[in-house]
Structure formats: C-alpha cells, structure tokens
Amino acid sequence: MRRGHGAFIVVMVLFGGLIGLGAFTFVYADGASYMSSDARPCANCHVMRAQYEAWQKSSHREVAACNDCHAPHSSLAAKLAVKGLNGFNHSLAFTTGRFPEPIRITDFNRDVTEGACRHCHDAMVHAIDPVPEEEELSCVRCHVDVGHLH
Amino acid sequence: DIFEKKQESRSPFFRVVELTDDTEDPAEWGKNFPLQYDGYVRTVDMVRTRFGGSEAVLQTPTTEDPRTVTSQSKLDHLPELRRMWAGYAFSKDFREERGHAYMLEDQIFTERQQAAPQPGTCLHCHASVYVPYKKAGDGDLMAGFEKLNPLPYAEARTHVTHPITCIDCHDAVTMQLRITRPGFIEGIAQAKAAEGFSAYDVNRDASHQEMRTYVCAQCHVEYYFKGSEKRLTYPWSKGLKVEDILAYYDEVQFKDWTHAETGAPMLKAQHPEFEMWAQGTHARAGVSCADCHMPYRRAGALKISEHHVRSPLLDVARSCQTCHRASAEELLDRAESIQERHARLRDVALNSLVDLIDDIKTAQAAGTDAERLDAARQYQRKASFYVDFVEAENSTGFHADQEGARILAESINFSRLGQRALMR
Amino acid sequence: DIFEKKQESRSPFFRVVELTDDTEDPAEWGKNFPLQYDGYVRTVDMVRTRFGGSEAVLQTPTTEDPRTVTSQSKLDHLPELRRMWAGYAFSKDFREERGHAYMLEDQIFTERQQAAPQPGTCLHCHASVYVPYKKAGDGDLMAGFEKLNPLPYAEARTHVTHPITCIDCHDAVTMQLRITRPGFIEGIAQAKAAEGFSAYDVNRDASHQEMRTYVCAQCHVEYYFKGSEKRLTYPWSKGLKVEDILAYYDEVQFKDWTHAETGAPMLKAQHPEFEMWAQGTHARAGVSCADCHMPYRRAGALKISEHHVRSPLLDVARSCQTCHRASAEELLDRAESIQERHARLRDVALNSLVDLIDDIKTAQAAGTDAERLDAARQYQRKASFYVDFVEAENSTGFHADQEGARILAESINFSRLGQRALMR
Ligand SMILES: [Ca+2]
Ligand SMILES: [Ca+2]
C-alpha cells in the first residue's frame, strides 16, 4: 500500500502547482519549510502548534522531527513528492480554512508514518510484525502518542 | 483569509464595553465576546438525536400558555411515567428538555405550575438570578436567595428578566469561571465534608478543570425544597450515590408526595446529571461537562469554547474526536449502543414498578393487613426513586453506563420484593 | 493460505531445530524461541489479584488426587453456588482457574471426574490435541476429533501428553497464528453465518488482529456436548449474546442437569470470556485478548509477545499503559472499581436465585399445582443461566461492564418473577 504511490503523487503536485492561489500560499506560508527536516517550520501554522508543543514534550523530541515521521524514508523522490503534496494540500486547506476539525491524519499519511516507525525500529519489531501478505500491524494503535499527544 | 489569521492571533479580543458585576444583559457581554455570544444565542435551535436533543412541537398558544413551540412530551413517550407519578404534578406535564434559551419560559408555562403552587426557589436554576439575588439581599447573595425562595413563584419571577446569562458562570472582570448558585455552594461543601474536606469553598478550592464541571452542576443535579422556607437543598451530606441520597431523605423523613393509587410516601428524582457523571468512566478520567458539551472550536486563529451548549452527539467530531481516534460514525454508534442497552433495561424496570403498583392496589382492595401493605409501599418508594434517578438523568445511561444498569437492577429487585412482601 | 506465507515469513530467529506440523513438545520449539518459551513455562506461577489471578492452596496428596497444590475453592468463597448447582457435579468441586501449565492435571483430578463419568471431549480445551487428533484421524483433524469425543475420559487421555503447547496456536513452519480447534472452527462459522457471512473459514477469512483473539476463543467460550457422540458444540447459531444462547438451548431442548431441590431443567454456563468480551467497549475498539493478556515485552534488542499468559492486572504497565495515559495505580483502581460494582450486584442476583429455590421448595411441600411450579422452574432455569453466565465469566465484569450489569438485572428479574409465579 505504502509503496508505488510516488508517480501518482508527482502528477498531483504538478497539477496542483498550476493553481495560482495554492502555489502562492505554498510560498507565502513558507511551503519551503515542508522540505526541511526541522520541526519549527511546521509550527509556522498555528493549526500545527498543538502538535509542535506536544512534540517538544514527547519521547521523540530528541530523535525525530515532524518529517521523520510524516515523510517517507523509502526514496528521496517519494519523500519530496509527499512533502510537496502535503505542503500544497495543507497550504490550500489553511488558506480556504476548509478542513475538518479536529484535524485528522489521512489514511495515506498514516501509512507514511507507520513506515517511518519501521524505518527506525525495524530491528526491534520485525519479530512481532506479521508477514507482508497480511494487513500491516498498526504501531499507532498502541503508540499513538509517541510523537505528540492526541 | 490568511493575512487576517495572522492578524487575529495577536489580538484575542477588543474591550468594546466595560462589564461590571451588575451587567446582566448578555448582549452587552456579546459586544466584547461576539463569538461566544453567537453560540450562546443558538441554544434556541431544536434538533433531535436518537435519544436526546429536542424536537420542536407546534402548539396553539393559549392565555395560560402563549408558547407556540414546545418539545415532545415524555409522558406520551413513556406512559408508565403517569402511573409512577400518580397524584403528582409531573404526571400532568413532563417534557423533553431543550436549549438554555427556553429555560425561563418553559418553567413559567409548564402545566405543573397550575397543578400545584410553586415557590420562588424554582428560579434558582431557570433564570439569571445572580444580580436579582444581590439586589434583593442588598448586596448579600445568600440573603437575597433566602428572601426570594419563600415567595410565590408569580411574585418572585417579577424579580428576574433573563434565562441563564454570562454572569451566571463568569466573573465580569476576569472572565474566570465562578459559581454563583447558593444551592451548589452549600451542597458541594456538604459533599466534600462527607469526603473529609471541611469548610470547602468552591470558588476558592476548586481546580480549573473542576470548575468546567461545577458551573454546570449548579443546576444539573438532584434537589429538594427544605422546610417552610422552601430552602433549595442538594441532598449530598452522605455522598452523591443514589443510596446515599435515599438514606438522606429517609433520615430527614422527606417525601415529595403521596402516591394516588397506593398511598406510598414517594420521592421524585430530578436531572442528577452531575451525580451520575461522577460515577462514570469519563469523570474518573477527569473529563468535564464542558469538554463534551462546550468543545473547543476554531474561530480564525482563536480556539474558543462552543457556547452553543447541546447534545455532543450533534457534533461528535469536536466533542469526542479530540480524545478518541475512532471515526465519527463509529463513536456515535458506540454512544447509541450504550444508550440502547440502557433504554431497554429502563423499560424492564418501569414495567416492574407498574406491576408492584397493580399488586398493591389489588392487595388494598382485598383488605391485606397494614403491615404487608406498608412493607410493599416502602419498596415502591425505593424502586420508584431508583428508576426515576436514571430516567430523570438525561444522558440515557451514557454518563455512567455500568452504574446506570446497576441502579436499574436494584430498582427491579425492589419492585419484585415489594410484590413478594404482599404474599405469604 | 498458510503454505504460501511460508517463504515470506519474517519472524527472525536462529533455526536451531527443524519444527514440523507434528512437533508437539514445547521444549523443542523453545530451542528456536527461547524468549517465548521462558514466558510460556512461567504460567505455573500462582499470584492473586483482588478478584482474579490464583492463590496456591496446599493439600495432602491422595491416590485419587496426587496434587500437592491447587487453587482456592469458589464454592467456599460463594456458598450460594452449591444451592445453584444442587445435584450437579459442579456443586462438588469448583475452583478458581489458574495458569495454562495446570490445565491438564486440574481437569484430570477435579472431583467432578468422580462425581460423574466424563467423555474424551473434555480434552479439546485442556490438552494439546492437535497432533493426537491428527493421529487418531489418520491425518484428518476432524475425524480424530470425532473419534476421541465419545471415548471415556480415562481412555481418551492416554492419547494426549501435554497441556496447551505452541502448536495449538502456531503454524510450525511460518509461526503464523492458526486455529486448531474443531469446536471453534465450526462455532465461529455458525456465528458468522448468523451475521450473514456464509461458509466462513476462520483460518482463511480472519484478519491478523482477529486471530489475536480467536486463538484464545478456541477455549474461553460457553459450550455443551451434543448428542450421544458427545460432540463439542459452541451454541452460537443465533448469536453470541446470552439471550441468543439461551434461545438456542431452549430450541434444541437441552438441559445440563435436573435441579436436586426443585426438579427444574437446568443449564450450566462456562467461561464465556469471548462472548462477553464481544459485547464490551474494548472489543468495539478492536482490542484483542492478546493485547491485554500477552502484551509486548522488550527482551534485549527484540520486542516479543509475553507468553506468560495471566491477569493483566499483574502487569498494568505493559498491558494497559501503552493505550491509556493514566498512572498504573489509577488504571488498576479503575478496573477494580468496575469489578467491585459488578461483584456486589452478582451477590444480589445469587441471593435472589436462592430465594426462588427456597420458595419453590416450600411450594412443592405445600402441594402447589404443577402449572405454577413449572412456570417457576422455567424462571429458575433462565435466572440461573443468566447469573451463571456472568459469574462463570472470569473478568468479574471487566470485559463488558454494562452488559454484565444488564444480564444480572435480568437474572434478578427472572428470579423474582419466579417467586411471583408461585403466588396468586
Ligand atoms: Ca433534551
Ligand atoms: Ca484465575
């Protein structure tokens, strides 16, 4: 599921880029920050502040910033693509103010995050991780608060 | 748009007007806090949920009751209630409660007012009484409270103008939450004393999170009128559980009325939301009334408390999903399956009570000896108070599901033991 | 299907020995999986919790019962049980259950074996029967199952050697969870059919998360022996709720025994952990048995499942705290206050049932007509099954607190209606 969305995403992003408004805010709202692996830029948006503040108190504060969990580790292309897509989506949503509250992670981004967990913890958890044929074991079912409270 | 948002976040609110400890009119407060005011006025909305909310029922206005819209009658919905309350004003008119905007008119025009003369005490929870109490007591809240209580309702109500307003929950200068209701100030002090906390002063000793519940518990509680002064009293000196409250009433030998069919000395329970909530999981977890009924809402860059107080099931996303990760549909379904299980058991309990009433009537006709009849009537008093306690509680079991079922179980037991007591 | 998964198996381990579908000895498996094996063998530990766990009780070994240690007797703890089960083997010996290591010896040496001859079917849940069933059926699990069921227990048990072992829950090659119990394979298929899912094959259709519950539900369920073949049957064709199960038994006109004091056609409920769990909040939230009873444990560089299956209240940190933010003390307290409320109500229900039994006896002595007596006995059958369903369930209400209280409420109602039925 997580794999193979790269191309589709790139198209989405290019298409999205054509929408002036989105593109505008993307820049205005510091969309470039999506490309960094520093946490502060994410907090550029007040709507991200809750997570930012919670992250600062989390067990991962020292070891993982936002994008370590919210961007893929599979390939650089996928990484940039997802960052671009989210950056665009969030910028647009933020500008139009049209988004669900409380903000909920999308299934797509949850998969990205689940992948991130494994990227760092694979050695420890592959004993408990079922074979890929089966549906993924969800880490966040139990560890939903490791990055920040919910 | 985005510039505005960056703006807003720097300026929480503009002080348009000066608010004092005597500013009663919510519209005035609304000038400083338009967002909260907008929510507050929307409590006129009437929307049903599966078991709660409220439904607009049209009626032709009369001189006694000029209301064109009321809410559905619970007496028609649950006919057993008429038998349970035979001989008491509630058997004449008892409706689904609705938004805060209606609290004053619904009290003024309920048929219960015709059925029996009511005292001024009633206003304590149906009007903005903070300023009126102070006025009547020449600045002394308690004195004013004691002065208005014994007055006939019609006379007392000329002292009040609004349903609940901002000043009933907020300090006008600091906007801090503040308890203004004598009934709760005294009641919670007694409850705390029972837990060993003496001289409890709620406005001094309560935590911020507790205040988010206590402002509601000023009114959403079981109560009675004590003595000829009709002093409003919350029966908590032995604790908040149903058995503690019954023990209190038995001790002071109080009864609300005498049952018309059986002559039993009866008790009426009323909206013990606070008492039931206190026995539930959410209370255990420190979740307050406001967390669910006044969830935070984003207004631009601001997070404000939803002042449109209503059923959380009408806004599951904000009310529940802040804490629960499940989907809105799933959460609604979880709540409703708890309520459904509760409602079915409540019906069993009501039917058991009606069976007891029938048996007592038959026994009376058959000239059963006084001893057995009295024993049965005592069971009726208990069984009726227990089932009423969870029925009058308005969450249909949600606030404390296991405790709700436990109380219904004991009510059923009392009803059936009453039937047994008549035999042999 | 399992064989395809073979290659892709991810479970990392040092393959010391080759495990096959016939490797029964857990010590062999332990060579490849020492961490899980260490936990598995610790199920011999006996530690009490407030309402569960188990307590070591010394006894002087005899030839019939060579055990030097057993667990506390529930009959002494709840004397009402002897009345409830009058005339049935359970009234002779019924103990608190303990760790998996004891399952075989406890079954062999329970006094219930002397009280009444038991069939081979019993072994299904008290021994590692996967390999023995296959052997007895010449490779056909079901055939072996059907062959051992009707044998006298003493003869059947010569076919088994171990209590539950690895192969009862795991595929030896892929280590995937796998259902090996005919009773559950057939039972869950019927339950799913009732929900409209036909031809359900648990090993093919269950999700990984479901398997984390189903491996336990192979045994922690209500059951009965059908017909003269003593075929093990899970009574789920109408659903998993207590009323569905009772409806099934009534339909097939099954009774476990005739009550010695009243002559009522009785039913015995046994450990419906799975059925009760299914009605609870945790099941709603997708929380499996293994999540709480086999929490993950950090073992060196690896995370593994705790194979020391026991009360989660003995390890709240791992069992509860990953999902619940509250402190361990607070969580323990939450669980125990649910259990305490449950236990008190259970006692009310047991006493109500004893009252009914007394009344029926008196009525019989007084020569009450058969019609009333039969009505009362039918109520006894229901009331007894309902309270037993909740009492035999081993979480003391925790798995489904509201449903537990609901069932007790109905049990109380049945007992009291039974008393009423004798009168008039
Ligand atoms: Ca309502
Ligand atoms: Ca035990």
Side-chain angles (χ1 to χ4, degrees):
Chain A
M1 163 59 177
R2 212 180 309 116
R3 307 157 193 79
H5 274 61
F8 159 76
I9 294 161
V10 176
V11 176
M12 291 282 297
V13 177
L14 295 179
F15 168 71
L18 297 178
I19 304 175
L21 175 63
F24 161 70
T25 12
F26 182 67
V27 177
Y28 173 83
D30 211 351
S33 64
Y34 273 89
M35 303 310 173
S36 88
S37 59
D38 166 9
R40 268 172 282 104
C42 300
N44 266 352
C45 282
H46 53 74
V47 292
M48 295 292 98
R49 209 162 286 156
Q51 285 77 15
Y52 180 77
E53 282 158 11
W55 169 75
Q56 290 178 310
K57 302 183 193 68
S58 81
S59 61
H60 284 67
R61 176 175 79 258
E62 305 298 335
V63 297
C66 315
N67 277 326
D68 294 316
C69 288
H70 292 291
H73 294 257
S74 44
S75 78
L76 183 62
K79 186 179 190 127
L80 293 179
V82 170
K83 285 181 170 187
L85 175 68
N86 286 334
F88 174 73
N89 282 351
H90 302 175
S91 304
L92 185 59
F94 186 73
T95 312
T96 59
R98 252 188 263 100
F99 56 86
E101 292 224 57
I103 292 172
R104 312 274 304 160
I105 195 162
T106 58
D107 292 348
F108 177 81
N109 280 319
R110 185 181 288 110
D111 268 358
V112 169
T113 300
E114 292 273 358
C117 309
R118 288 171 172 77
H119 174 79
C120 295
H121 295 291
D122 210 27
M124 176 185 296
V125 303
H126 71 322
I128 61 167
D129 227 359
V131 298
E133 281 307 296
E134 299 201 22
E135 83 278 18
E136 286 285 344
L137 164 70
S138 167
C139 308
V140 305
R141 192 163 65 80
C142 299
H143 295 297
V144 72
D145 293 338
V146 291
H148 41 78
L149 296 185
H150 287 260
Chain B
D1 90 340
I2 202 154
F3 300 97
E4 207 178 270
K5 290 206 185 75
K6 291 206 161 182
Q7 277 295 322
E8 272 184 54
S9 51
R10 290 199 206 86
S11 47
F13 83 94
F14 309 92
R15 195 178 295 279
V16 179
V17 296
E18 197 58 44
L19 301 172
T20 77
D21 202 38
D22 298 318
T23 317
E24 194 173 69
D25 183 358
E28 282 301 300
W29 293 60
K31 291 177 182 157
N32 287 357
F33 308 105
L35 297 168
Q36 288 78 9
Y37 182 73
D38 290 348
Y40 167 85
V41 294
R42 275 188 294 108
T43 59
V44 294
D45 298 357
M46 290 181 75
V47 183
R48 255 208 87 104
T49 58
R50 177 117 175 264
F51 294 94
S54 67
E55 189 176 325
V57 177
L58 298 180
Q59 72 172 21
T60 34
T62 64
T63 37
E64 305 80 58
D65 185 354
R67 291 175 300 175
T68 53
V69 174
T70 61
S71 58
Q72 69 270 36
S73 165
K74 279 194 179 174
L75 294 174
D76 299 342
H77 173 58
L78 289 176
E80 299 85 358
L81 297 179
R82 287 205 176 83
R83 298 290 306 282
M84 172 155 85
W85 297 324
Y88 198 44
F90 275 84
S91 63
K92 297 272 171 301
D93 184 16
F94 176 55
R95 303 183 169 281
E96 174 67 32
E97 87 286 16
R98 47 183 178 159
H100 281 165
Y102 299 100
M103 61 170 71
L104 187 50
E105 59 173 279
D106 283 348
Q107 181 175 64
I108 295 172
F109 299 116
T110 177
E111 265 177 70
R112 300 208 290 276
Q113 291 279 7
Q114 281 89 55
Q118 305 294 356
T121 321
C122 296
L123 292 168
H124 180 282
C125 302
H126 284 261
S128 186
V129 291
Y130 179 67
V131 176
Y133 279 172
K134 276 196 314 171
K135 282 220 188 82
D138 310 312
D140 180 338
L141 189 74
M142 281 294 170
F145 165 65
E146 287 159 355
K147 206 153 147 202
L148 294 193
N149 287 345
L151 298 183
Y153 182 83
E155 182 182 344
R157 71 171 254 224
T158 59
H159 291 256
V160 306
T161 8
H162 300 279
I164 186 170
T165 64
C166 320
I167 201 162
D168 293 300
C169 299
H170 289 285
D171 176 288
V173 182
T174 65
M175 287 310 291
Q176 288 301 310
L177 290 179
R178 178 184 58 178
I179 299 303
T180 57
R181 293 305 193 266
F184 185 75
I185 293 171
E186 294 181 347
I188 193 68
Q190 293 208 300
K192 292 287 182 180
E195 295 167 12
F197 189 147
S198 58
Y200 184 84
D201 173 344
V202 65
N203 281 317
R204 178 195 65 202
D205 301 328
S207 71
H208 174 252
Q209 181 63 9
E210 286 174 323
M211 288 298 269
R212 290 168 55 83
T213 289
Y214 290 166
V215 288
C216 315
Q218 296 186 102
C219 304
H220 287 269
V221 298
E222 159 64 2
Y223 70 91
Y224 83 114
F225 298 156
K226 192 183 199 171
S228 52
E229 330 74 62
K230 300 285 176 196
R231 188 187 193 82
L232 179 64
T233 309
Y234 298 174
W236 297 341
S237 60
K238 294 174 182 293
L240 296 176
K241 293 218 189 82
V242 65
E243 54 265 43
D244 303 327
I245 294 176
L246 179 62
Y248 169 88
Y249 283 134
D250 287 344
E251 186 175 278
V252 301
Q253 299 187 350
F254 177 77
K255 68 170 182 201
D256 277 299
W257 89 102
T258 301
H259 198 270
E261 301 184 32
T262 68
M266 303 300 293
L267 293 171
K268 174 80 185 75
Q270 274 128 169
H271 37 73
E273 275 87 50
F274 172 64
E275 295 90 331
M276 283 299 288
W277 162 87
Q279 309 309 322
T281 302
H282 283 102
R284 255 332 269 266
V287 184
S288 72
C289 317
D291 287 329
C292 298
H293 290 277
M294 298 183 67
Y296 289 114
R297 177 166 66 82
R298 186 182 49 86
L302 289 178
K303 261 197 185 245
I304 64 155
S305 301
E306 176 59 76
H307 277 62
H308 180 190
V309 175
R310 58 176 173 166
S311 164
L313 299 186
L314 293 170
D315 186 4
V316 170
R318 287 201 186 85
S319 300
C320 320
Q321 284 184 320
T322 37
C323 298
H324 295 283
R325 290 175 61 231
S327 73
E329 301 66 39
E330 164 62 18
L331 283 165
L332 182 61
D333 213 59
R334 265 186 219 171
E336 287 182 347
S337 51
I338 287 173
Q339 294 181 301
E340 202 180 332
R341 194 181 277 122
H342 181 87
R344 268 190 273 104
L345 193 59
R346 174 208 56 203
D347 295 343
V348 175
L350 285 174
N351 291 326
S352 308
L353 181 61
V354 170
D355 288 347
L356 172 59
I357 295 172
D358 290 339
D359 280 9
I360 296 180
K361 279 174 64 181
T362 324
Q364 286 174 154
T368 309
D369 59 77
E371 200 188 302
R372 292 191 218 172
L373 286 173
D374 288 341
R377 290 181 185 124
Q378 283 303 321
Y379 277 120
Q380 183 191 349
R381 172 182 162 101
K382 284 195 213 169
S384 189
F385 186 67
Y386 272 54
V387 63
D388 203 0
F389 202 82
V390 283
E391 165 51 28
E393 204 282 334
N394 287 283
S395 70
T396 318
F398 180 85
H399 290 150
D401 58 359
Q402 186 195 20
E403 174 73 353
R406 193 272 298 190
I407 294 173
L408 288 170
E410 304 215 17
S411 174
I412 292 169
N413 195 31
F414 293 141
S415 290
R416 299 307 185 188
L417 283 171
Q419 293 180 277
R420 182 73 179 69
L422 291 167
M423 311 298 171
R424 148 178 347 88
Chain C
D1 116 308
I2 322 152
F3 290 95
E4 277 166 32
K5 291 181 186 144
K6 198 177 188 156
Q7 307 339 65
E8 301 132 6
S9 172
R10 269 211 248 156
S11 288
F13 61 88
F14 204 64
R15 206 178 287 272
V16 179
V17 295
E18 194 57 45
L19 300 174
T20 76
D21 202 39
D22 297 317
T23 316
E24 194 174 68
D25 183 359
E28 282 301 301
W29 293 61
K31 292 177 183 159
N32 286 356
F33 308 104
L35 297 169
Q36 288 80 7
Y37 182 74
D38 290 348
Y40 167 86
V41 293
R42 274 188 295 108
T43 58
V44 293
D45 297 358
M46 292 182 73
V47 182
R48 256 208 85 102
T49 58
R50 177 117 175 262
F51 294 93
S54 68
E55 189 177 324
V57 176
L58 297 181
Q59 72 172 20
T60 31
T62 63
T63 36
E64 304 81 56
D65 185 354
R67 290 176 299 174
T68 53
V69 174
T70 62
S71 59
Q72 68 271 35
S73 165
K74 280 194 180 175
L75 295 174
D76 298 342
H77 174 58
L78 289 175
E80 298 86 358
L81 297 180
R82 286 206 177 83
R83 297 291 304 282
M84 171 155 87
W85 297 325
Y88 198 45
F90 275 85
S91 63
K92 297 274 172 300
D93 183 16
F94 177 56
R95 304 184 168 279
E96 172 68 30
E97 87 286 16
R98 47 182 178 160
H100 282 166
Y102 300 100
M103 61 169 70
L104 187 49
E105 60 173 275
D106 283 347
Q107 180 174 64
I108 295 172
F109 301 115
T110 177
E111 267 176 69
R112 301 209 290 274
Q113 291 279 9
Q114 281 88 56
Q118 306 293 356
T121 321
C122 296
L123 292 168
H124 180 281
C125 301
H126 284 262
S128 187
V129 292
Y130 178 67
V131 176
Y133 278 173
K134 277 197 312 173
K135 283 220 189 82
D138 310 311
D140 180 339
L141 189 73
M142 281 295 171
F145 166 65
E146 288 160 354
K147 202 149 148 207
L148 293 193
N149 287 345
L151 298 183
Y153 183 82
E155 183 184 341
R157 74 172 252 222
T158 59
H159 291 255
V160 306
T161 12
H162 301 278
I164 186 171
T165 63
C166 320
I167 201 160
D168 293 301
C169 300
H170 289 284
D171 174 281
V173 182
T174 66
M175 290 309 294
Q176 289 304 303
L177 291 179
R178 177 184 59 176
I179 300 303
T180 57
R181 292 305 191 265
F184 186 74
I185 293 172
E186 294 181 348
I188 194 67
Q190 293 207 303
K192 294 286 182 181
E195 294 166 13
F197 189 147
S198 59
Y200 184 83
D201 173 344
V202 65
N203 281 317
R204 179 194 65 204
D205 301 328
S207 72
H208 169 252
Q209 182 60 12
E210 286 174 324
M211 287 298 271
R212 290 171 53 86
T213 289
Y214 291 167
V215 287
C216 315
Q218 295 186 101
C219 305
H220 287 268
V221 298
E222 159 64 2
Y223 70 91
Y224 83 113
F225 298 156
K226 190 182 201 170
S228 53
E229 334 65 74
K230 299 288 175 195
R231 187 187 192 83
L232 179 65
T233 309
Y234 297 173
W236 297 341
S237 60
K238 292 173 182 293
L240 296 176
K241 292 218 188 81
V242 65
E243 54 265 44
D244 303 327
I245 295 177
L246 179 61
Y248 169 86
Y249 284 135
D250 287 344
E251 186 176 277
V252 301
Q253 299 186 347
F254 177 78
K255 69 171 180 196
D256 278 298
W257 88 102
T258 301
H259 198 271
E261 300 183 33
T262 68
M266 304 300 293
L267 292 170
K268 174 78 186 75
Q270 275 128 171
H271 36 74
E273 275 87 51
F274 172 64
E275 296 91 331
M276 284 298 288
W277 163 86
Q279 309 308 321
T281 302
H282 283 102
R284 267 317 282 262
V287 184
S288 70
C289 316
D291 288 342
C292 296
H293 289 277
M294 297 183 68
Y296 291 125
R297 179 165 66 81
R298 175 81 182 266
L302 274 187
K303 250 182 88 170
I304 62 156
S305 300
E306 176 58 80
H307 279 62
H308 180 189
V309 175
R310 57 177 173 168
S311 164
L313 299 186
L314 293 171
D315 187 4
V316 170
R318 293 194 178 93
S319 298
C320 321
Q321 279 183 312
T322 35
C323 296
H324 295 284
R325 233 170 278 136
S327 74
E329 301 64 39
E330 163 61 17
L331 282 166
L332 182 61
D333 212 58
R334 265 185 219 170
E336 287 181 348
S337 51
I338 288 173
Q339 294 180 301
E340 202 180 331
R341 192 182 277 123
H342 181 88
R344 268 191 273 101
L345 193 59
R346 174 207 57 203
D347 294 342
V348 176
L350 285 174
N351 290 325
S352 308
L353 181 61
V354 170
D355 288 347
L356 172 58
I357 294 172
D358 290 339
D359 279 10
I360 297 181
K361 278 174 65 180
T362 324
Q364 286 175 156
T368 310
D369 58 77
E371 201 188 300
R372 291 190 218 173
L373 286 173
D374 287 342
R377 291 181 185 123
Q378 281 303 321
Y379 277 119
Q380 182 191 350
R381 171 181 162 101
K382 283 195 211 166
S384 189
F385 185 67
Y386 271 55
V387 63
D388 203 2
F389 200 82
V390 168
E391 164 51 28
E393 205 282 333
N394 287 284
S395 70
T396 318
F398 180 84
H399 291 150
D401 58 357
Q402 187 196 20
E403 174 73 352
R406 194 271 299 186
I407 293 173
L408 289 170
E410 305 216 16
S411 174
I412 292 168
N413 194 32
F414 293 141
S415 290
R416 300 305 186 188
L417 282 171
Q419 293 179 278
R420 182 73 179 71
L422 292 167
M423 312 297 172
R424 155 182 337 96

